[in-house]
Amino acid sequence: MNQYHYSNLQVVVLAAGQGKRMRSATPKVLHDVLGRSMLSHVLANIEALCPQGIALVTGHGGEQVYAAVEKLYHVSLIKQAEQLGTGHAVQQAESACVNAEHVLIVCADTPLLQAGTLADLLERHIKSESDISFLSAKIDEPTGYGRVCRNQQGIVESIVEERDANADQRLLNEVSSGIFCVKQKLLFQLLQQVDNSNNQNEYYLPSIVPLALQEGAKVEAVLMPDANEMLGVNDRTQLRHVTELLQQRVIEGWEKEGVSIEQPSTVRIDVSVKLGMDTVIRAGSQLLGNTSVGDACEVGPYAVIKQSWVDDHVKIHAFSHLEQAHVGAHADIGPYARLRPQAELDEGVKIGNFVEIKKSIIGQNSKVNHLSYIGDTTMGQNCNVGAGTITCNYDGANKHKTVIGDGAFIGSDTKLIAPVTVGDGATIGAGSVITKLVQKNGLTLSARPEQRYVKDWKRPEKS
Ligand code: UD1
Ligand code: MG
C-alpha cells in the first residue's frame, strides 16, 4: 500500500517506556495483537508513508525490540538511556532528523492507528503551512490523556497532562493522541527550551505547543474521525480491548469481501490471513499467521489453522488443527484431524478423525480416514489407507521414508516399518507388519497368529 511518498519527512517512533503496567518479561511494544507486535503494526503503517527514514527510540530491552523488527523494516536504532519524558526521547533522535523538513512523532503503543490517518495529518500540516500539527480526538473517557486546551476563540493554547490538569481542564474531552508533525528546525529549537517543571518531572513533548505559540508559530489540532485509532496500550486490559476492536475491523473487512463469520466474538483471524469469497468460518475457529483459505471453504467450528495454505472448496471440520500445511482443492479434513508442518495434500484428499499427517505428500483423491499416523511419506493417487495404519518412521535415532504407489489399498492396522516402499495397486492385508518391499498389484500380508477356539471356556464370575 505504498501510495504515499514523503521524502522530506523523518519519522520518530517512541518505544523507550518500560511498560511496567503490562507486568511482563517481554517489552510492551513487542506484545502481540492479532499476529503482529504492536510496534510492527505501527511500523507497517509508517512504512506505507515512504518517509525519508524511521528512527526507533528504545530504552530498556532496546536490543530485543530492535532485533524483533530490524529484518522487517528499515529503522535506525536510537537509545534513550534514561526515560526522562517524551520530549527528551525525541531529542535523542535529532541526529537522525537533520536532513528532513518535517518530523512525524508516533508512539509505538497504538496498534489501531491507520496509515491513512497519518497521511491526513501530513496533508493538513503541509497544506495549512502549520509549524506544529497533532492528532486530537474527542473521547467520552479522557482520563489519563493530555487534554487539549483552547482559548475562547477555539484556538489551541496548550496540552495539559492529566496529572498537571486542574478540575476544569480534566472535564475537557478533547485529548491529544501524542502524534505530532513538526517542522524539523523548530522542533529541536523548542525542545531545548522545554523544562521538567511538572508533576512527573519529565520533559514533555506537548510542552512545545505553548513555546511555539509564544514565538508566533502556527499550531493546529487535527481531529481524528475515529477516536479508537489513538487508543494506547498500557496494561493487559487495554491490550485485550484494542485486540477486540482490531478483530472487529478485520472481520468486517472480510464480510465486505463475501466471507461469513459465525459468532465472530469467538473467532480469531490474524491481520495477515487471506480469505476467499463464500467461505464460512464457524464459531471458535482460529486462523493464524500467514494463513490463506480459498473460495467456498468451510472451516470449523473450533478449527485452528496456522501458517497454512488451503485451496478452494475445502472442508475443515470441527476440532482439526493445521500448521504449515497445504490442503488441495475439494479436500475434506477432520473432524479431529492434525496436519503438521509439511503436510502436502493434493486435490480431493480425505483425512478423517484422529489422523496425524507430518512431512508427507498425499496424492489426489487418496483417503486416510481413521486413527492413523502418516509421517515422512510420499503417497500416490487414489490410495485407501485403513483404520489404525501407522508409518513407523522413527527407529529411535533416525527418521525413515515410506513410499506408497498409486491405487494402493492398505488394510486396517498395518504397520509400515520404514524405510519401505509399497508398489502401485498393491493390497496389504489387515494387521500386517510390513518390513520389505511390497510388490505392485497382488496381495501382501504378513503371517497372522493362528485363530483358536476354546469351546468350553467360561467367563469369570464376580465373587
Ligand atoms: C502521552 C502524552 C499525552 C497523550 C498520550 C496519548 C506526553 C507527556 N504525554 O501520555 O499527552 O495524550 O501519550 O497516548 O507526551 N516514551 C519514551 N521515552 C520516555 C517516555 C515515554 O520513549 O522517556 C514513549 C513510551 O514508550 C510510549 C510513548 O513515549 O510509547 C508515550 O509515553 P507514555 O508514558 O505512554 O505517555 P502517556 O502517559 O500515555
Ligand atoms: Mg501511553
Side-chain angles (χ1 to χ4, degrees), residues 14 29 46-47 77 93 150 214 251 255 269 306 308 395:
L14 301 184
V29 296
I46 290 170
E47 222 167 50
L77 180 65
R150 294 173 180 267
Q214 276 167 30
I251 283 176
E255 285 170 340
I269 302 177
K306 199 172 179 180
S308 293
D395 60 13

Side-chain angles (χ1 to χ4, degrees), residues 28 109 232-234:
K28 173 171 94 170
D109 61 356
V233 173
N234 298 307

